[in-house]
Amino acid sequence: MALDTTGVKLQDRPIARVREEVIDQLIMNYSHGVISEQAFERRLDIATNSDEHLLLAEQVADLTLLPDAKYRAMWAQSFSSSAKPQPEAERGAYATDSDRLVSVLSSDERSGPWRVPQQLTIINALSSVELDFSDAVFDQPQVTLYTRNWLGSIDIKVPGHVAVLSDINNIASSSSNSVSADQAGAHKSHFIRVEGYSVLGSVSISVKRNLKERFTDFANSVRTALGLK
């Protein structure tokens, strides 16, 4: 069995830790061509959705290739940057409790490991604004976005663990929200409320990538680094 079964019994170990080890094992073996793409996707689907220790362990019971130092370094580069808290002096303008984004006749984007203030006001006139929360660092579990949109577009993309509730007044405009607003959802760790108005413009809220898709993208990047297609 690929999982270390020495020490504490598997059933008594934190499920999140077991799941992490299983996913690492699956990615490592798929990226090195040990299992097929179909087998990887099937097992990864179980690993990201199951809370049963034994079922998780079954997904790697026949795999012996273990994550090495190179794999760990690639994992840290892809997933850890947004999770590490930064010193206060390094947080910059986005670490305050409130912030403002003003865009006039331009295009603005916030993405990567940017820090999310508790309140963000978006003033957009004849411009395109994109907020990507996929790798954003949340200092608070609840965030409010205030939109002031004239003849512009605002595109908000969030990861699967973020719930969004929108309350936007549209005047000859369109707005859409395809993200669950269930704040109490089992996999929702953060909550964003979007309110304000949009005049002759558009506001779109959607999920960018779920966790399984991010793991799959990472596994394929490792395969590419190893020269596999």
Side-chain angles (χ1 to χ4, degrees), residues 83-119:
K84 294 180 180 179
Q86 298 177 5
E88 187 69 28
E90 297 180 5
R91 292 187 179 183
Y94 302 155
T96 57
D97 289 337
S98 63
D99 195 9
R100 175 177 294 187
L101 190 159
V102 180
S103 184
V104 179
L105 291 170
S106 58
S107 176
D108 286 284
E109 176 184 353
R110 286 190 183 179
S111 60
W114 63 286
R115 286 200 163 269
V116 182
Q118 190 169 16
Q119 298 180 350

Side-chain angles (χ1 to χ4, degrees), residues 118-137:
Q118 190 169 16
Q119 298 180 350
L120 176 62
T121 300
I122 306 167
I123 301 175
N124 182 30
L126 294 163
S127 300
S128 172
V129 173
E130 179 176 340
L131 301 179
D132 186 350
F133 290 90
S134 299
D135 297 309
V137 179

Side-chain angles (χ1 to χ4, degrees), residues 14 74 83 91 110 144 157 163 201 206 213 220:
M74 294 182 67
R91 292 187 179 183
R110 286 190 183 179
T144 302
K157 298 183 182 299
S206 60
E213 291 171 331
N220 286 325

Side-chain angles (χ1 to χ4, degrees), residues 124 147 149-156 166-178 194 196-205:
N124 182 30
T147 63
N149 186 39
W150 297 279
L151 293 163
S153 65
I154 299 176
D155 188 12
I156 300 171
S166 58
D167 184 13
I168 301 172
N169 295 316
N170 292 297
I171 303 175
S173 299
S174 66
S175 64
S176 63
N177 179 10
S178 61
V194 183
Y197 58 82
S198 179
V199 180
L200 294 168
S202 66
V203 178
S204 174
I205 305 167

Side-chain angles (χ1 to χ4, degrees), residues 3-19 21 51-54 56-57:
L3 287 176
D4 183 6
T5 56
T6 61
V8 179
K9 292 191 301 183
L10 180 65
Q11 293 90 331
D12 292 338
R13 295 171 57 188
I15 190 67
R17 179 59 181 168
V18 175
R19 181 182 295 108
E21 292 183 21
D51 289 326
E52 299 181 22
H53 290 76
L54 294 179
L56 289 173

